[in-house]
Amino acid sequence: FDAVAIDRFDYLVKHRLTPCLALAKLNSEGLVTACEADLQSLLLMLVSRELTGYTGWIANATAFSGSRGLFSHCTIALNMVREGRVLAHFESGYPHALSGKLAQEVYTIASLSPDLEVLGVGVARVVESGLLSGAACRTQALVELGPWAEDLPRIAPANHHVFIPGDVVEELRAVAKLLGLRVIRYPSAAE
């Protein structure tokens, strides 16, 4: 397979454990693996791997205030975190989820609409990451987005965003043009 998507909710209900660590390991080995059966993010993760060598991190758009946004999810590639630790899964309490600090400072965040017609893309700078709160998925990133941050949940094509290491906005715009996608450009913090 070139990529795999798994519906983790059905899996964890059936087996009473999560696939988070397996997905984290597979992604760190370059096998693009998405949770929540998110095929839009899976496509972005394939693009991330080809552009950067990293599969990217699917993250929920969790909370926004001022110029900052909080993103969280329990499945991140092992090679994208430092100080990783294994904890109980957030929603279920089942074993196990990965928490860690993001290894890079700058990420391109990208979100693809369910109909595969719109790509949202922008740059985020990590302010703080790791387990910042017990009330969200275990890997969390507080990022600087700019004065428009509170608008992101309203304008984003989907809740999930893929964090791609570095600034690859122009490369993603080129990919979007090739695929005939409409692009929503999130302004950078400097704009």
Side-chain angles (χ1 to χ4, degrees), residues 116-140:
L116 304 177
E117 291 186 3
V118 180
L119 174 70
V121 62
V123 175
R125 296 193 180 284
V126 176
V127 174
E128 189 177 5
S129 63
L131 183 62
L132 307 177
S133 164
C137 295
R138 300 313 187 197
T139 296
Q140 302 159 16

Side-chain angles (χ1 to χ4, degrees), residues 98-161:
L98 179 64
S99 179
K101 295 183 179 187
L102 274 62
Q104 308 281 333
E105 179 184 340
V106 174
Y107 290 86
T108 299
I109 59 171
S111 181
L112 188 57
S113 65
D115 61 8
L116 304 177
E117 291 186 3
V118 180
L119 174 70
V121 62
V123 175
R125 296 193 180 284
V126 176
V127 174
E128 189 177 5
S129 63
L131 183 62
L132 307 177
S133 164
C137 295
R138 300 313 187 197
T139 296
Q140 302 159 16
L142 178 65
V143 297
E144 182 67 37
L145 296 168
W148 61 274
E150 291 182 0
D151 292 331
L152 187 125
R154 183 181 53 76
I155 64 174
N159 178 54
H160 280 167
H161 282 72

Side-chain angles (χ1 to χ4, degrees), residues 4-189:
V4 175
I6 184 170
D7 185 345
R8 72 174 167 100
F9 291 112
D10 287 347
Y11 184 93
L12 71 88
V13 167
K14 181 178 180 179
H15 299 286
R16 301 184 61 82
L17 70 129
T18 72
C20 298
L21 294 181
L23 273 60
K25 182 167 180 6
L26 290 169
N27 277 312
S28 67
E29 294 172 355
L31 177 60
V32 177
T33 311
C35 64
E36 296 184 31
D38 185 343
L39 299 179
Q40 303 90 263
S41 292
L42 186 73
L43 176 59
L44 290 173
M45 292 172 75
L46 283 164
V47 171
S48 175
R49 182 189 66 192
E50 297 308 311
L51 291 177
T52 68
Y54 295 92
T55 58
W57 172 47
I58 296 176
N60 296 311
T62 305
F64 297 85
S65 180
S67 64
R68 294 180 173 178
L70 179 68
F71 292 83
S72 63
H73 218 270
C74 293
T75 305
I76 186 167
L78 298 173
N79 61 349
M80 290 187 66
V81 295
R82 56 187 171 80
E83 300 179 31
R85 30 185 253 198
V86 176
L87 302 170
H89 181 254
F90 167 59
E91 290 113 334
S92 68
Y94 294 151
H96 290 293
L98 179 64
S99 179
K101 295 183 179 187
L102 274 62
Q104 308 281 333
E105 179 184 340
V106 174
Y107 290 86
T108 299
I109 59 171
S111 181
L112 188 57
S113 65
D115 61 8
L116 304 177
E117 291 186 3
V118 180
L119 174 70
V121 62
V123 175
R125 296 193 180 284
V126 176
V127 174
E128 189 177 5
S129 63
L131 183 62
L132 307 177
S133 164
C137 295
R138 300 313 187 197
T139 296
Q140 302 159 16
L142 178 65
V143 297
E144 182 67 37
L145 296 168
W148 61 274
E150 291 182 0
D151 292 331
L152 187 125
R154 183 181 53 76
I155 64 174
N159 178 54
H160 280 167
H161 282 72
V162 175
F163 274 56
I164 302 170
D167 181 347
V168 294
V169 169
E170 291 309 312
E171 291 87 341
L172 284 177
R173 289 171 63 109
V175 169
K177 185 174 182 177
L178 286 171
L179 297 175
L181 304 174
R182 183 169 64 88
V183 175
I184 297 172
R185 173 72 164 89
Y186 306 148
S188 73

